[in-house]
Amino acid sequence: MDFLARLRAEGQDRDEGQDPEAAFQTHRRRRRIRRLSVGAVAALALAGVTAWLVAAPGEPPADESYAAALDEQAWPDEWPATTSLPLRGSPARTWATESEELPLPAATSVGSIPKERVSEGLRRAGEFLVAANLDPEVLRGGWPAEAMDLLDPQQPDRAELTQHLREPGLPDADPTELFTRFDPAELTPARGGIRVRGRMSFEAGGNPGQLRIHADYTFVYALRRVAPHSEPGPAPGTEEVARVVVRRQLVLLYAASGSPGVTAGKLVPADYRRQLGNHDCGTVDGFVHPYFSKEAAAADLPWPRVDPYDDSKDIADGRPSCTVPSRT
């Protein structure tokens, strides 16, 4: 009786003498027709994208409604990522987010430096990496005050870095060699688009009470243009993000105890190297400048292609040379 009542409420057409079994068969046929119709539309959309993938995998199809009909996860790797899935196709999507603590090694005593002081040195090194590369204000172009405060004020490196931040330029004053900052008038990090992975080790330094810390971390950033100048994505209603891969190798000296000219508890950057994937290295103004897909396609990029995620080898010594990322 409930089924027959639903048929009457929905206004189903049937003859006065039609029995319940006939009504049930009629309803089932109608539902099957509806399912077939929906399936046919989806199949046509998928067929359109499949044909495009075979014919021209490097560009969106002429009828972009095909792309909109598919989940973004199914888009080809050649298409740029969007604000919906800023890390689509990137191996970094499973890495730690900026809200998670950097992985640090277990501390042990080193020479005359007790375990507790080694642990403090490792923690300070991790704080410096976060303050220089993950602090929201620094990423938006702000002054890296916390990172600078962790450096020894008695050492010339801090004064030199301060000068580089104030007056960036070639050939030797490029703050991006140590800090990750983006021009706030142009870019802002996309929500959920920051990841990090890396490792750290330590040993005794060259001076008594000194700890030498080796850090090798890779940071990935998905960035969007500042409103209202959004970058259209490859399908209607989407917004493109540009991804930057920043790998940093640092040697930080930590003073477990003070001495003339050395401040206890502070760091000294003895060596630092960086590799930027997807960056306009011809512009030195203190900011990282990524290419969006159209810009990259039109730019003259005569430099060697490298995999920015490959951390199996050390970054080359000396001033970093320009590279073109094979992927971001």
Side-chain angles (χ1 to χ4, degrees):
M1 293 296 295
D2 290 342
F3 175 70
L4 290 176
R6 283 201 305 273
L7 286 182
R8 284 195 295 269
E10 294 171 2
Q12 299 291 337
D13 295 329
R14 55 188 182 88
D15 294 333
E16 196 67 34
Q18 190 175 20
D19 58 25
E21 176 62 23
F24 173 77
Q25 295 297 335
T26 299
H27 182 72
R28 187 167 68 174
R29 284 195 300 272
R30 287 172 176 161
R31 292 182 60 188
R32 183 169 180 270
I33 291 172
R34 284 198 298 269
R35 286 198 303 270
L36 289 174
S37 298
V38 172
V41 172
L44 285 173
L46 181 59
V49 173
T50 301
W52 165 77
L53 287 174
V54 174
E59 299 179 1
D63 186 352
E64 292 181 333
S65 62
Y66 288 143
L70 292 180
D71 187 277
E72 196 166 326
Q73 292 280 14
W75 289 4
D77 291 341
E78 290 81 4
W79 284 24
T82 72
T83 52
S84 299
L85 292 174
L87 295 168
R88 178 183 59 81
S90 169
R93 63 187 180 279
T94 59
W95 296 2
T97 67
E98 73 273 25
S99 61
E100 300 177 57
E101 292 186 3
L102 291 184
L104 303 177
T108 59
S109 61
V110 175
S112 62
I113 307 175
K115 175 182 176 180
E116 293 74 17
R117 298 293 285 174
V118 171
S119 178
E120 180 181 334
L122 296 175
R123 180 175 57 81
R124 292 287 177 86
E127 289 174 352
F128 179 81
L129 285 164
V130 170
N133 299 280
L134 295 174
D135 184 294
E137 293 302 318
V138 174
L139 292 179
R140 292 185 173 90
W143 186 268
E146 292 187 21
M148 296 295 288
D149 187 57
L150 289 164
L151 301 182
D152 191 338
Q154 298 190 70
Q155 298 297 310
D157 302 80
R158 177 169 164 175
E160 184 177 281
L161 288 170
T162 299
Q163 187 66 22
H164 291 179
L165 286 163
R166 288 175 175 167
E167 298 179 8
L170 295 173
D172 299 316
D174 186 355
T176 64
E177 291 188 4
L178 201 55
F179 304 104
T180 305
R181 301 159 71 231
F182 302 100
D183 189 339
E186 297 179 1
L187 301 166
T188 186
R191 182 177 181 182
I194 299 178
R195 294 291 188 275
V196 59
R197 182 186 71 175
R199 54 191 177 270
M200 189 180 290
S201 62
F202 58 93
E203 61 188 0
N207 299 321
Q210 186 183 75
L211 187 69
R212 181 182 295 268
I213 301 171
H214 300 266
D216 188 345
Y217 287 82
T218 300
F219 304 86
V220 179
Y221 309 89
L223 302 138
R224 62 191 302 183
R225 293 199 190 278
V226 172
H229 307 292
S230 62
E231 185 78 10
T238 63
E239 180 183 347
E240 180 182 338
V241 296
R243 285 203 297 248
V244 178
V245 183
V246 181
R247 183 187 174 198
R248 298 198 181 278
Q249 286 188 305
L250 295 85
V251 176
L252 298 169
L253 302 179
Y254 173 71
S257 57
S259 62
V262 176
T263 307
K266 295 296 184 178
L267 300 167
V268 176
D271 185 33
Y272 45 93
R273 311 175 191 179
R274 62 102 165 109
Q275 177 178 283
L276 302 183
N278 191 30
H279 165 62
D280 176 11
C281 61
T283 301
V284 180
D285 58 2
F287 302 122
V288 177
H289 292 278
Y291 291 104
F292 285 78
S293 60
K294 293 180 181 178
E295 294 170 335
D300 180 19
L301 305 174
W303 309 295
R305 292 174 63 86
V306 300
D307 183 353
Y309 294 102
D310 183 6
D311 59 0
S312 62
K313 299 178 181 178
D314 287 341
I315 301 173
D317 195 5
R319 183 171 180 79
S321 58
C322 292
T323 61
V324 179
S326 60
R327 53 178 179 157
T328 59

